[in-house]
Amino acid sequence: MSDLTELTLAEARDAVAAKKISARELTEAFVKAVEEARPLNAFITETPDIALKMADESDKRIASGTARPLEGMPLGIKDLYCTKGTKTTAGSRILENYVPQYESTVSQNLWDNGAVMLGKLNLDEFAMGSSNETSAFGNCISPWRAEGSDAQLVPGGSSGGSSCAVSARLCLGATATDTGGSIRTPAAVTGTVGIKPTYGRCSRYGIVAFASSLDQAGPIAHTVRDAAILMKAMASVDPKDSTSVDVPVPDYEASLEGGVKGLRVGIPKEYRLEGTDPAITAIWDKGVEWLKAQGAEIVEVSLPHTKYALPTYYIIAPAEASSNLARYDGVRFGHRADAPKDLIDLYERSRAEGFGAEVRRRILIGTYVLSAGYYDAYYLRAQKIRSLIARDFTEAYKKCDVILTPATPAPAFGIGEKVADPVTMYLYDVFTVTVNLAGLPALVVPAGLSEKGLPLGLQLIGKAFDEATLFRAGRALEVAAEFNAKPAKWWRA
């Protein structure tokens, strides 16, 4: 094997298990790839010493016949997951030097399955963004470039470091989080696979909170099979998170090749939005044809409250963020302003110095909609509309098993192109936020390239806790799409 970083997670797992390569050889290849790719700014913290130590432990287990499912597999961890003894910044200056004394449940699940940590991945500050441009540690750059252009593109957000690292072959897979599309948007614009599972499928314990009723952990990976393998390892019920649900976690990989014959696929008529890139609409139509050709039944469904999803999301999410981020006051932990005049000055300057512009904007919006006199007019009304959006899906699933939609309204855009207009940036989440509001699972699969050679993704939305059907339908799309494009490794030049 000439370049071990070109393996998928499933291929690497099988090669290590068969002792064709060692976990240390595999990990050394990725450590080198991470060092060479620093121009992409995908990692905030690299942990090569930890990775090699974990790889050596994996080789000992393999030699003793006690290997675990992900033994020796090098992964990247979004820097929103607390990792014991390793800095966790949430992409913010206010947590610049924070070293957790405990491990998040999801990352602990991965280590218990034998995975290896390569480092902590870049993200939008506190996961607030769709382009990874709000990180206090500089924006992450997509490994993809449009044909004939050297312009830097966004890797999507907020899990931009995760999508970049997977797409650029800097790790076999990565953890991510999704509050309004932060797994699916980055996956769609970087030619990777991402799944946001059902709310409650993964524990949120140890993940820095943005909007607690919307946040959910999930993986970004090279293939549907890799995503299924990672999802199985990450999911669990957790007594430390009262919102995690005690339901069995299926062996998703085992049912991948079940096909879609007889599966009812819903096409929501409200998702044909004005302003959507024609290439996105064309790939959506092609996705319908692919599934129909494999025996799926295509039915039209209606999600009539979709048009209210974005304003609803941008009331609920900032409201919860303003509450969650109140803890960063310079007293308990995080950045502390120098020489404060009094307690109020300490609060004000610590927060003003520690938070970036987008986080401050959302705190202000959230505080406003929760304030006396406006709570009923904004927050309470948004919660009512959220119930209607969830009910739309319940009605739709009386006619279908999964729903097929675009993932983004356009391919990746240039760094700095939308940052001055937050409303335009928010519109990029138009196809993803409904899923978070309804608490449903959704999978994004790469389906083709734009005229300029940039990845386009399709989204499958499933019933609650039916990720297995999503993976099966996603695998059918993957086979039909035959997406094998990769970015040129220009950063090595």
Side-chain angles (χ1 to χ4, degrees), residues 30-108:
F30 280 104
V31 167
K32 184 170 181 283
V34 170
E35 290 173 356
E36 291 176 341
R38 284 175 185 157
L40 297 176
N41 201 27
F43 283 80
I44 291 176
T45 303
E46 298 172 18
T47 58
D49 294 340
I50 293 173
L52 293 171
K53 185 178 177 183
M54 295 172 89
D56 289 341
E57 289 295 321
S58 289
D59 282 331
K60 288 178 187 172
R61 277 185 168 268
I62 293 165
S64 66
T66 57
R68 298 161 292 183
L70 292 175
E71 203 66 74
M73 298 298 104
L75 304 178
I77 302 297
K78 184 176 182 178
D79 205 16
L80 204 64
Y81 290 69
C82 287
T83 43
K84 187 176 181 180
T86 299
K87 197 164 63 173
T88 299
T89 69
S92 179
R93 288 287 176 210
I94 210 160
L95 289 176
E96 187 173 14
N97 298 309
Y98 174 56
V99 179
Q101 300 304 305
Y102 61 99
E103 189 77 28
S104 80
T105 296
V106 168
S107 53
Q108 187 63 54

Side-chain angles (χ1 to χ4, degrees), residues 63 69 260 300 347 399 411 426:
V260 293
E300 184 180 83
Y347 288 162
K399 296 174 63 179
Y426 299 165

Side-chain angles (χ1 to χ4, degrees), residues 2 56 156 161 199 286 294 327 353 388 396-397 401 413 457 480:
S2 56
D56 289 341
Y199 185 81
K286 197 173 282 186
Q294 294 181 65
R327 72 192 71 178
E353 293 168 9
L388 294 175
Y397 285 128
D401 303 302
F413 51 87

Side-chain angles (χ1 to χ4, degrees), residues 267-269 271-290 404-411 431 447 449-450 456-458:
I267 307 299
K269 59 185 179 183
Y271 277 51
R272 294 200 179 275
L273 301 176
E274 188 178 339
T276 301
D277 190 299
I280 298 286
T281 304
I283 205 73
W284 187 20
D285 292 339
K286 197 173 282 186
V288 172
E289 292 171 15
W290 288 333
L404 179 70
T405 78
T408 60
F431 295 125
L449 296 173
S450 70
L456 306 172
L458 287 174

Side-chain angles (χ1 to χ4, degrees), residues 78-395:
K78 184 176 182 178
D79 205 16
L80 204 64
Y81 290 69
C82 287
T83 43
K84 187 176 181 180
T86 299
K87 197 164 63 173
T88 299
T89 69
S92 179
R93 288 287 176 210
I94 210 160
L95 289 176
E96 187 173 14
N97 298 309
Y98 174 56
V99 179
Q101 300 304 305
Y102 61 99
E103 189 77 28
S104 80
T105 296
V106 168
S107 53
Q108 187 63 54
N109 287 347
L110 290 170
W111 312 147
D112 291 345
N113 275 272
V116 166
M117 181 172 77
L118 287 166
K120 306 297 290 292
L121 293 160
N122 207 344
L123 70 159
D124 280 299
E125 184 177 8
F126 283 100
M128 297 181 194
S130 305
S131 62
N132 212 139
E133 292 174 285
T134 69
S135 170
F137 301 93
N139 56 268
C140 178
I141 301 167
S142 174
W144 291 84
R145 284 179 168 176
E147 288 176 6
S149 171
D150 289 337
Q152 295 181 345
L153 301 175
V154 301
S158 66
S159 307
S162 304
S163 64
C164 172
V166 174
S167 183
R169 300 275 165 177
L170 311 184
C171 58
L172 289 171
T175 66
T177 60
D178 194 317
T179 304
S182 287
I183 290 175
R184 291 160 289 154
T185 297
V189 300
T190 58
T192 53
V193 176
I195 180 166
K196 178 248 169 226
T198 310
Y199 185 81
R201 174 64 89 182
C202 289
S203 170
R204 294 179 299 110
Y205 176 77
I207 298 174
V208 178
F210 164 15
S212 299
S213 76
L214 301 164
D215 298 341
Q216 186 57 204
I220 291 180
H222 292 300
T223 65
V224 174
R225 182 176 300 278
D226 287 359
I229 294 168
L230 289 170
M231 193 70 255
K232 167 73 174 169
M234 293 168 69
S236 70
V237 66
D238 181 8
K240 296 172 186 169
D241 176 5
S242 61
T243 66
S244 71
V245 179
D246 189 6
V247 292
V249 181
D251 183 352
Y252 301 118
E253 187 183 10
S255 58
L256 270 184
E257 306 294 346
V260 293
K261 189 172 182 180
L263 193 74
R264 298 172 302 165
V265 179
I267 307 299
K269 59 185 179 183
E270 292 83 2
Y271 277 51
R272 294 200 179 275
L273 301 176
E274 188 178 339
T276 301
D277 190 299
I280 298 286
T281 304
I283 205 73
W284 187 20
D285 292 339
K286 197 173 282 186
V288 172
E289 292 171 15
W290 288 333
L291 293 176
K292 190 175 181 180
Q294 294 181 65
E297 179 188 350
I298 307 301
V299 296
E300 184 180 83
V301 296
S302 178
L303 301 170
H305 294 92
T306 294
K307 58 188 174 186
Y308 302 119
L310 270 176
T312 300
Y313 175 84
Y314 278 100
I315 289 173
I316 293 173
E320 295 186 10
S322 74
S323 176
N324 277 325
L325 271 58
R327 72 192 71 178
Y328 304 108
D329 54 13
V331 176
R332 286 164 285 189
F333 57 93
H335 172 75
R336 183 184 179 92
D338 290 333
K341 290 184 296 186
D342 51 35
L343 188 60
I344 298 299
D345 185 47
L346 173 67
Y347 288 162
E348 290 178 346
R349 287 204 291 115
S350 295
R351 290 169 67 81
E353 293 168 9
F355 290 135
E358 180 62 28
V359 172
R360 293 200 301 270
R361 178 184 294 119
R362 298 198 193 195
I363 289 173
L364 286 172
I365 293 170
T367 305
Y368 178 79
V369 301
L370 290 176
S371 60
Y374 297 99
Y375 181 91
D376 288 356
Y378 292 102
Y379 186 73
L380 196 59
R381 182 174 291 183
Q383 291 289 13
K384 290 176 179 175
I385 296 172
R386 181 179 187 175
S387 298
L388 294 175
I389 290 169
R391 194 170 70 185
D392 285 350
F393 282 102
T394 302
E395 292 299 314

